[in-house]
Amino acid sequence: MAVAQLVNGRAEDVIFTSGGTEANNLALMGCGRSYRLVSGVEHSSVLNAGGVIIDVDENGIVDLDRLNDQLLLCEAPAIVSVMLANNETGVIEPIKDIVKLAHRHDALVHCDAVQAVGKIPVDIVNLGVDMMSISAHKIGGAAGSGALIVPGLGSGTGCMLQGFLFGGGQEHGFRVGTENLAGIAGFGAAAKEALSGLDGFAKLAGFRDAIDKAIKTTERGSVIFGADVERLPNTTCLTMPGVDSDTQVIAFDLAGIGVSAGSACSSGKTKISSVLKAMNASAEDSRCVIRISLGWNSAESDVETFIAAWCNLSSRKSTRKINLSAA
Ligand code: PLP
């Protein structure tokens, strides 16, 4: 119930899964649509499932004209998969417009809302999507629990779906196997907390903007990805020209600040972000980018500490050789 309420959905329309990855796979592989159109900034669990890429602009927003052209070319009804908010830049996609367009072409719309829930209000009814994925560990629940929500599933009016596991009849038969009850219970508790904490999250936009402003003032050459469009209140993704991402991550870590070189899910990988590539970012900017995520308990003093550390690191880069032990 609490998990459904997090997205203004109904409990009988929820299929519990092992996480966002499985929910995304179930939506794309189980919907019976062989024409898949997926935005270029999707998480690897959508991108690697295969499909034709929908172009995005330099802010990471889906190009609706291009999507319209692509839908016209599909020889059978398609499925369109676009995330609500991006995990690296925080950019929010125009899902309602995408749904309107896709439904005109009889296409289904799946939305990966893993990164959005708990950070902005998410209303599956208002968005009009046919399927939505969410994940527990992004809202403080345990890893290994997630859900696919399919409006109308419980009443038999939702889109057609075929699970890919064989076994008993759990989760309406769409995701069979004994459920991870502890994980689901924790997901429910986390969902309640996340819903009640939304106002606190909205306030983080002020902190995020203060960071962006201070950095642009200090270093005009810094690129803030998606700065011109709506983003999650807690996320900013920006470059420190001339200092590669890994060096920044280590230097901030030594200063007691955790930042990421890309999305948390792809940490450990050193390759250039596919999200930034899709946004047509230059190789140099992609090499020097970090993602900053504020938490519900981030305070003004944390923001000041981060800005001071950023300015300090940036001011020492002129030698192009930063002595990390002095960070
Ligand atoms: N979708 C997005 C946008 C994500 O950021 C992630 C990773 O955290 C996932 C899907 C995968 O979710 P999970 O880790 O629950 O499999």
Side-chain angles (χ1 to χ4, degrees):
M1 183 65 123
V3 169
Q5 279 171 350
L6 182 61
V7 299
N8 191 32
R10 292 186 316 185
E12 65 266 32
D13 295 341
V14 176
I15 302 168
F16 285 105
T17 65
S18 66
T21 297
E22 188 188 332
N24 284 344
N25 275 260
L26 177 58
L28 292 170
M29 318 294 248
C31 70
R33 302 280 172 110
S34 48
Y35 287 91
R36 290 189 211 121
L37 300 172
V38 307
S39 94
V41 293
E42 295 303 305
H43 184 259
S44 52
S45 54
V46 170
L47 276 184
N48 294 348
V52 175
I53 299 294
I54 313 163
D55 291 339
V56 297
D57 66 15
E58 70 282 2
N59 283 308
I61 297 285
V62 160
D63 181 334
L64 293 175
D65 291 334
R66 178 96 184 91
L67 174 58
N68 188 44
D69 292 345
Q70 288 173 311
L71 284 164
L72 282 169
L73 288 175
C74 290
E75 285 157 15
I79 177 160
V80 172
S81 184
V82 180
M83 66 202 332
L84 183 48
N86 187 265
N87 42 311
E88 294 183 31
T89 60
V91 164
I92 296 173
E93 296 290 343
I95 297 294
K96 277 178 86 162
D97 295 336
I98 290 166
V99 168
K100 251 191 240 163
L101 172 60
H103 282 178
R104 275 211 305 271
H105 293 270
D106 288 329
L108 294 173
V109 179
H110 163 253
C111 179
D112 175 347
V114 164
Q115 209 56 230
V117 288
K119 300 188 181 96
I120 52 170
V122 177
D123 184 333
I124 195 167
V125 179
N126 184 257
L127 290 173
V129 298
D130 301 289
M131 292 181 274
M132 177 179 279
S133 303
I134 57 176
S135 174
H137 71 102
K138 294 294 169 186
I139 56 167
S145 196
L148 182 68
I149 300 135
V150 185
L153 180 90
S155 55
T157 57
C159 66
M160 297 290 286
L161 203 61
Q162 175 76 54
F164 44 72
L165 298 179
F166 297 96
Q170 295 92 343
E171 300 304 307
H172 313 270
F174 296 117
R175 201 290 184 180
V176 299
T178 305
E179 285 105 337
N180 169 9
L181 281 183
I184 292 171
F187 196 0
K192 267 191 202 153
E193 286 292 317
L195 207 48
S196 65
L198 278 177
D199 287 348
F201 243 89
K203 289 184 191 134
L204 295 176
F207 290 164
R208 191 262 328 268
D209 292 345
I211 290 173
D212 286 356
K213 193 169 166 209
I215 282 170
K216 275 307 248 186
T217 309
T218 309
E219 170 72 70
R220 285 171 58 111
S222 173
V223 175
I224 300 171
F225 291 100
D228 303 333
V229 295
E230 208 186 339
R231 285 177 293 163
L232 293 177
N234 74 320
T235 308
T236 187
C237 179
L238 42 82
T239 66
M240 184 184 287
V243 185
D244 69 47
S245 309
D246 290 342
T247 303
Q248 292 185 61
V249 171
I250 297 168
F252 283 118
D253 186 49
L254 289 168
I257 301 164
V259 299
S260 126
S263 78
C265 322
S266 58
S267 59
K269 296 181 195 167
T270 47
K271 62 177 190 186
I272 297 280
S273 151
S274 58
V275 172
L276 298 184
K277 224 185 233 172
M279 291 165 71
N280 217 7
S282 71
E284 176 61 11
D285 286 341
S286 303
R287 198 179 62 77
C288 301
V289 73
I290 55 167
R291 181 189 70 164
I292 298 135
S293 303
L294 299 160
W296 60 271
N297 56 351
S298 295
E300 201 166 341
S301 57
D302 298 321
V303 172
E304 284 161 9
T305 304
F306 171 76
I307 292 171
W310 199 94
C311 294
N312 178 30
L313 186 60
S314 173
S315 68
R316 292 188 292 120
K317 73 175 182 196
S318 49
T319 61
R320 296 263 161 170
K321 274 198 177 138
I322 290 170
N323 177 2
L324 289 172
S325 62

